[in-house]
Amino acid sequence: MNETSASRLREQLDLMFKPRSIAFVGASNDRRKWGEWMVYRPLNTGFRGQLYPVNPREKTILGLPAFAAIGDIPDTIDLAVITVPAEYVPDVMEQCVRKGVRAAIVITAGMGEKGPEGLELQNRVRDIARDGGIRFIGPNCMGIWSAASHLSLAFAEAPRNGSIAFLSQSGTFGGYLYSIARDKGYGLSAFVSMGNQADLNAADLMEYFADDPDTKVIALYLEGVQEGHRFFEVARRIVKRKPIVAYKAGRTSAGSRATQSHTGSLAGADAVFDAMCRQAGIIRPLEAVHTFDMAEALTKQPLPRGKRVGIVAGGGGQCVVTADFCAYLGLDVPELDAITQDRIAAELVPHAPIPRNPVDLGGGMKSIMSLANIVNIVAGLDYIDGVITSPPMAFGGTEMVKEALDAAEIITRISARTGKPVIASGRMADSGSAVVQVMRRARIPFYDTPEECARAMYALMAYGETRLALGDE
Amino acid sequence: MNETSASRLREQLDLMFKPRSIAFVGASNDRRKWGEWMVYRPLNTGFRGQLYPVNPREKTILGLPAFAAIGDIPDTIDLAVITVPAEYVPDVMEQCVRKGVRAAIVITAGMGEKGPEGLELQNRVRDIARDGGIRFIGPNCMGIWSAASHLSLAFAEAPRNGSIAFLSQSGTFGGYLYSIARDKGYGLSAFVSMGNQADLNAADLMEYFADDPDTKVIALYLEGVQEGHRFFEVARRIVKRKPIVAYKAGRTSAGSRATQSHTGSLAGADAVFDAMCRQAGIIRPLEAVHTFDMAEALTKQPLPRGKRVGIVAGGGGQCVVTADFCAYLGLDVPELDAITQDRIAAELVPHAPIPRNPVDLGGGMKSIMSLANIVNIVAGLDYIDGVITSPPMAFGGTEMVKEALDAAEIITRISARTGKPVIASGRMADSGSAVVQVMRRARIPFYDTPEECARAMYALMAYGETRLALGDE
């Protein structure tokens, strides 16, 4: 893509994700219809632009004045959302061209995913849009969500605000996944249900979010890849600046059969996709929800310059499982040198286990502050690239709580000072505790399980390694 | 173990898990001490037996009259909980023998895990107990929890009531794991922090819970195995009646180093442990928390007689990922025959994707009830051994909610009628919905992610296969 077309794409996608005015062609008052959902969401989620429902048979839609046709709207339209039945979409797209619209979302299903007839219809729509200078998402998609403009045009409830741009080839499951991400405390900068990708595809959208200042990580749910060569070429360029975490279904033949009937994707040999990901520096998680566990750490912590993990945790089992899973994922958990062992032992009660790495604090520390001191010592070692720890805990009165908060404060400053990532293990259910809040506000990612911690650290270290290998842009 | 010693073990462990009276030697009023926690918990969690704190320097402990020595208590003592410093434990154990106590929990640390001196102390305690007819848990443990007697003698907050007996070689991490299990809605029949296993070890406790009518699954967190030969011999006998799910840390050398300094366990070659588990029919999860995901399904659903999964879910992505992960775990997702495809198609809207398995309902069903009809059809096939589905959903008014509840009711009866397990995918955050409640009350396990569903079905199918191979007892 040359500079001109790149800047044109950016401009058109800005109209999509930060529109000042939206027309809803196929708007409806029927709660069971997409034409209703699409208007209902932006009306109720703080979007400040203009909303123009289009419906020739209604005077108002959800209280807003309705227009008979998009051409009747006395305003420029940045974005058209199309929910009319499939056979009317070409005509609506033509009307959009005449109106001067430059960005559209086609929710309508029953097109490319529905046999040759549907595909022909879809190609007609694509040609009309292309000739008329419109870029569009869909058809057969479930909308978008954009943090920057408080814009919800998605079926599922809104995610949290954050800095992960999530592009999904499945609408329902994409919404389901970001609901789980929301439960886990992770936030998005944008969500796109990509649908059939008749015009805009994953590569186009990645280009846009690579330049988006609110996006730190691009996360993908894929069932197949369009324009495979371009996808990986674009990805390789982007990972020099931003990490891409791409889950792809269809590892197995049972999964491939399912992707075919779902999105018509021919998965191809999974091993090939895997190799291409490694070459492009894309991180590929094993399970779909891992995408977000990994992306969360990548949005919040600095990149390590190696794969050597220090583990400082308040319990033997936690230490064992964390160390085990880090090693299982290919990270190093180097044994601490004798001098460091002594420095750490000075923070522990007499007869505590020897702090070899993992450093097990279960034997007892001299004070709550010792945890912060030990994390400081470990993060300062030249043979440690990142630290996994647990939050300081206070079981006693207000004095102990104050000390725990002080210790948490110190831990939050370590990654800025050393340039090494610090992540923590602690149940989401405890996220109400003041200590955990202090650490989360300071962008320390929290994970329920030691394995999630290890996986997040793996993502940081894998991407850190990629960046070192590719060189910064 | 012969019949006499087996029934003696059962009797003594009944005193431990269903005591009528407990003495706390080392009881304290100091909130920071184990001697306080151990009394505080049963006082506040509905235990109905007698509590006798023992402390020579206090008149009362948490409002209960304190005794100077265990011998002074004017009652028979079923269970002694010992929290005195290590050097006093042998003397206290002798006093317990004289008092006629037959079951004890030794919380005290600083024994076998602390070098040769500590080990010698621990051996003395073990010999005193053995000669005096006392069986004990610990030392260096974090107590027990028992649903049957509403008894909490554990550091962590109580789990939910359920039918998983959870035996953990790590106290803190064991408590942490069951807190996560509680957050996920899973319940335990008992929890045991096994500590150093100087007397009672995992094999003994498994024997007991194999006979416990409230326990349906035995779950283990292990770092190493004592008396390896006996452990696997006992396990092999138990899995003819009850499933055992055993997580074991120390897969890697980093993990093994950590287990050594934590519980002194020499992990040994992990591949050997793995092979022994397969031979004994023990299910071994990759991640610690998977233990509970798997155990949950095993406590609630019938055992399948094969490895062929039917998937009926309300969304293409969900279908794809479930099918993919089932196949990844070695389960079959057979394509449906033409007649069945037609029968299912009759429940779907025209032009919905062909229901091949997975059956994607995202294209639209004729009615909410169609979901129940389709699950019924799939579960009835002789080449399907278990079904993964999603809850019926109602977006509309009370009529739709009523229909969804009716559909849920029908789904809950399928496993009893066909003898095949049915499990469901749905966010814990939605567990308040009436439909999910109906299904959960009817013992259909719910999981957040498709991969968790697949893993749970894998556990059912792996154990079903083991039971077929070993034959019923």
Side-chain angles (χ1 to χ4, degrees):
Chain A
M1 196 180 292
N2 59 38
E3 259 315 299
T4 324
S5 67
S7 79
R8 198 184 306 131
L9 175 71
R10 199 174 312 134
E11 188 196 308
Q12 282 179 285
L13 285 173
D14 273 342
L15 293 173
M16 180 103 63
F17 293 100
K18 295 163 189 166
R20 287 157 308 170
S21 57
I22 311 175
F24 299 88
V25 190
S28 167
N29 282 312
D30 184 342
R31 264 195 75 180
R32 294 167 303 179
K33 294 199 167 168
W34 278 96
E36 199 261 6
W37 276 100
M38 286 296 110
V39 184
Y40 178 87
R41 287 280 189 222
L43 255 180
N44 292 280
T45 46
F47 176 66
R48 300 212 179 145
Q50 298 300 314
L51 305 177
Y52 299 106
V54 176
N55 183 320
R57 290 175 311 280
E58 301 274 0
K59 285 245 158 69
T60 62
I61 299 284
L62 300 180
L64 298 169
F67 295 83
I70 190 168
D72 299 342
I73 301 170
D75 191 358
T76 56
I77 296 300
D78 283 350
L79 172 64
V81 177
I82 300 170
T83 54
V84 299
E87 62 269 34
Y88 303 122
V89 178
D91 183 47
V92 167
M93 194 58 89
E94 267 168 12
Q95 292 179 41
C96 287
V97 171
R98 284 198 296 275
K99 177 64 184 169
V101 171
R102 301 190 59 216
I105 299 170
V106 185
I107 301 291
T108 309
M111 303 191 80
E113 80 283 8
K114 217 194 84 184
E117 215 174 304
L119 186 61
E120 204 228 282
L121 202 58
Q122 177 173 305
N123 288 342
R124 247 165 65 212
V125 172
R126 185 201 57 201
D127 293 344
I128 294 164
R130 188 169 289 168
D131 294 347
I134 293 179
R135 301 305 304 259
F136 70 94
I137 284 172
N140 185 29
C141 80
M142 289 184 144
I144 65 167
W145 176 87
S146 164
S149 54
H150 309 283
L151 175 61
S152 175
L153 289 170
F155 183 70
E157 273 178 51
R160 279 173 205 257
N161 284 13
S163 39
I164 303 168
F166 176 39
L167 316 178
S168 177
Q169 214 177 333
S170 178
T172 314
F173 190 58
Y176 186 84
L177 279 177
Y178 77 60
S179 302
I180 292 179
R182 185 182 52 207
D183 298 346
K184 290 182 149 207
Y186 313 154
L188 306 188
S189 55
F191 166 69
V192 182
S193 163
M194 299 188 292
N196 294 356
Q197 305 178 62
D199 175 35
L200 291 164
N201 61 23
D204 299 316
L205 291 161
M206 289 198 303
E207 299 255 30
Y208 177 72
F209 288 107
D211 288 333
D212 173 30
D214 296 327
T215 295
K216 293 194 173 166
V217 177
I218 296 169
L220 296 151
Y221 169 87
L222 297 174
E223 296 191 354
V225 172
Q226 285 196 343
E227 300 186 278
H229 182 77
R230 181 167 159 244
F231 175 86
F232 285 108
E233 181 267 314
V234 167
R236 201 179 160 81
R237 232 179 326 110
I238 291 172
V239 294
K240 288 184 189 174
R241 290 178 292 151
K242 283 186 190 178
I244 299 174
V245 186
Y247 172 87
K248 192 178 104 16
R251 282 175 192 273
T252 65
S253 58
S256 297
R257 189 174 70 230
T259 62
Q260 264 179 63
S261 71
H262 180 220
T263 52
S265 298
L266 278 165
D270 190 71
V272 174
F273 181 84
D274 223 57
M276 297 292 284
C277 280
R278 264 199 306 279
Q279 222 171 48
I282 295 172
I283 298 168
R284 185 183 182 194
L286 176 63
E287 303 186 21
V289 78
H290 296 172
T291 311
F292 293 98
D293 297 329
M294 290 172 156
E296 168 78 354
L298 287 162
T299 61
K300 294 195 168 165
Q301 286 290 308
L303 289 182
R305 299 188 64 84
K307 291 194 156 188
R308 298 160 302 178
V309 189
I311 299 163
V312 181
Q318 186 92 15
C319 281
V320 166
V321 177
T322 309
D324 218 21
F325 215 74
C326 282
Y328 173 78
L329 295 172
L331 308 181
D332 295 329
V333 186
E335 193 159 348
L336 301 179
D337 64 277
I339 292 169
T340 302
Q341 288 186 20
D342 286 348
R343 283 176 68 199
I344 294 172
E347 297 284 348
L348 304 177
V349 297
H351 313 298
I354 296 167
R356 286 200 169 88
N357 192 25
V359 178
D360 175 5
L361 307 175
M365 289 175 287
K366 291 225 170 113
S367 72
I368 295 174
M369 191 55 72
S370 298
L371 172 66
N373 296 342
I374 295 169
V375 176
N376 241 330
I377 292 170
V378 173
L381 296 169
D382 59 8
Y383 56 88
I384 291 292
D385 303 306
V387 179
I388 297 174
T389 187
S390 17
M393 296 220 270
F395 290 105
T398 44
E399 266 312 298
M400 280 177 88
V401 172
K402 203 190 153 302
E403 200 184 337
L405 286 170
D406 289 346
E409 282 283 352
I410 290 176
I411 293 172
T412 61
R413 288 197 291 268
I414 292 174
S415 62
R417 194 170 46 73
T418 62
K420 298 175 185 178
V422 174
I423 66 178
S425 181
R427 283 165 63 224
M428 257 314 279
D430 291 330
S431 61
S433 97
V435 164
V436 174
Q437 278 177 11
V438 162
M439 291 174 75
R440 284 173 63 101
R441 265 201 302 272
R443 306 185 65 76
I444 293 185
F446 266 80
Y447 298 97
D448 268 350
T449 73
E451 291 91 344
E452 285 171 343
C453 272
R455 205 146 37 221
M457 188 56 85
Y458 165 81
L460 286 163
M461 292 185 164
Y463 183 57
E465 197 174 51
T466 298
R467 279 287 286 270
L468 279 178
L470 291 179
D472 291 359
E473 212 172 47
Chain B
M1 198 181 293
N2 61 40
E3 260 314 301
T4 325
S5 65
S7 79
R8 199 185 303 132
L9 176 70
R10 198 174 312 134
E11 189 195 306
Q12 282 179 285
L13 285 174
D14 273 343
L15 293 173
M16 181 105 60
F17 292 101
K18 296 161 188 168
R20 289 156 309 170
S21 57
I22 310 174
F24 298 88
V25 189
S28 168
N29 282 312
D30 184 342
R31 264 194 77 181
R32 292 166 305 180
K33 292 197 168 171
W34 278 96
E36 198 261 6
W37 276 99
M38 286 295 109
V39 183
Y40 178 88
R41 286 282 188 220
L43 254 180
N44 293 282
T45 46
F47 175 67
R48 299 212 177 145
Q50 298 300 312
L51 305 177
Y52 299 107
V54 175
N55 183 320
R57 290 174 311 279
E58 301 275 359
K59 284 244 158 71
T60 63
I61 298 286
L62 300 179
L64 299 168
F67 295 84
I70 191 169
D72 299 342
I73 301 171
D75 191 358
T76 57
I77 296 301
D78 283 351
L79 173 62
V81 177
I82 299 170
T83 53
V84 297
E87 62 269 33
Y88 302 121
V89 178
D91 183 45
V92 167
M93 194 58 89
E94 267 168 11
Q95 293 180 40
C96 287
V97 171
R98 284 198 297 275
K99 176 66 184 170
V101 171
R102 299 188 62 217
I105 299 170
V106 185
I107 301 291
T108 310
M111 304 188 83
E113 81 282 9
K114 217 194 85 185
E117 216 174 302
L119 186 61
E120 204 228 281
L121 202 58
Q122 176 173 307
N123 288 342
R124 249 166 64 212
V125 171
R126 184 200 59 201
D127 293 344
I128 294 164
R130 189 168 289 167
D131 295 345
I134 294 180
R135 300 306 305 260
F136 70 94
I137 284 171
N140 185 29
C141 81
M142 289 184 144
I144 66 168
W145 176 88
S146 164
S149 54
H150 309 283
L151 175 61
S152 175
L153 289 170
F155 183 70
E157 273 178 53
R160 280 174 204 257
N161 283 12
S163 39
I164 303 167
F166 177 39
L167 316 177
S168 177
Q169 213 175 331
S170 178
T172 314
F173 190 57
Y176 186 85
L177 278 176
Y178 78 58
S179 303
I180 292 179
R182 185 182 54 207
D183 297 346
K184 289 182 149 208
Y186 314 154
L188 306 188
S189 55
F191 167 69
V192 182
S193 163
M194 300 190 289
N196 293 356
Q197 305 180 61
D199 175 36
L200 291 163
N201 63 23
D204 299 316
L205 291 160
M206 290 198 302
E207 298 256 29
Y208 177 71
F209 287 106
D211 289 333
D212 173 31
D214 297 327
T215 295
K216 294 194 172 162
V217 178
I218 296 169
L220 296 151
Y221 170 87
L222 297 174
E223 295 191 355
V225 171
Q226 285 196 342
E227 301 186 276
H229 183 76
R230 182 168 158 244
F231 176 85
F232 285 108
E233 182 265 315
V234 167
R236 201 178 161 81
R237 232 178 326 109
I238 291 172
V239 294
K240 288 183 189 173
R241 291 178 291 152
K242 284 187 189 176
I244 299 173
V245 186
Y247 172 87
K248 193 178 102 20
R251 281 177 193 272
T252 64
S253 58
S256 298
R257 188 175 71 231
T259 62
Q260 266 180 61
S261 70
H262 180 219
T263 53
S265 300
L266 278 164
D270 190 71
V272 173
F273 180 84
D274 223 58
M276 296 292 282
C277 281
R278 264 199 305 279
Q279 222 171 47
I282 295 172
I283 298 168
R284 186 183 181 195
L286 177 63
E287 303 185 22
V289 79
H290 297 172
T291 311
F292 293 98
D293 297 330
M294 290 172 158
E296 168 78 355
L298 287 162
T299 62
K300 295 197 168 162
Q301 286 291 308
L303 289 182
R305 298 187 66 82
K307 292 194 155 187
R308 299 161 302 180
V309 190
I311 299 164
V312 181
Q318 187 92 14
C319 281
V320 166
V321 177
T322 308
D324 217 20
F325 215 74
C326 282
Y328 173 78
L329 294 172
L331 308 180
D332 294 330
V333 186
E335 192 156 351
L336 300 179
D337 63 275
I339 293 170
T340 302
Q341 288 185 21
D342 287 347
R343 284 176 67 201
I344 293 172
E347 298 284 348
L348 303 177
V349 297
H351 313 299
I354 298 167
R356 287 201 168 87
N357 192 27
V359 179
D360 176 4
L361 308 174
M365 291 175 286
K366 291 225 169 113
S367 72
I368 295 174
M369 191 55 72
S370 299
L371 172 65
N373 297 341
I374 295 168
V375 176
N376 241 330
I377 293 169
V378 173
L381 297 170
D382 59 8
Y383 56 88
I384 291 292
D385 303 306
V387 178
I388 297 174
T389 187
S390 18
M393 295 219 270
F395 290 104
T398 44
E399 267 311 300
M400 280 177 88
V401 172
K402 203 191 152 303
E403 199 184 338
L405 285 170
D406 289 346
E409 283 283 351
I410 290 175
I411 293 171
T412 61
R413 288 196 291 270
I414 292 173
S415 62
R417 193 169 49 70
T418 61
K420 299 175 184 178
V422 174
I423 65 178
S425 182
R427 281 165 65 223
M428 258 312 283
D430 291 331
S431 60
S433 97
V435 165
V436 173
Q437 277 176 13
V438 162
M439 293 175 74
R440 284 174 63 101
R441 265 201 302 273
R443 307 184 64 76
I444 293 185
F446 266 80
Y447 298 96
D448 267 351
T449 73
E451 291 91 344
E452 285 171 344
C453 273
R455 202 143 43 218
M457 189 56 86
Y458 166 82
L460 286 164
M461 293 186 163
Y463 183 58
E465 197 175 51
T466 298
R467 279 287 287 271
L468 280 178
L470 291 179
D472 289 0
E473 212 171 47

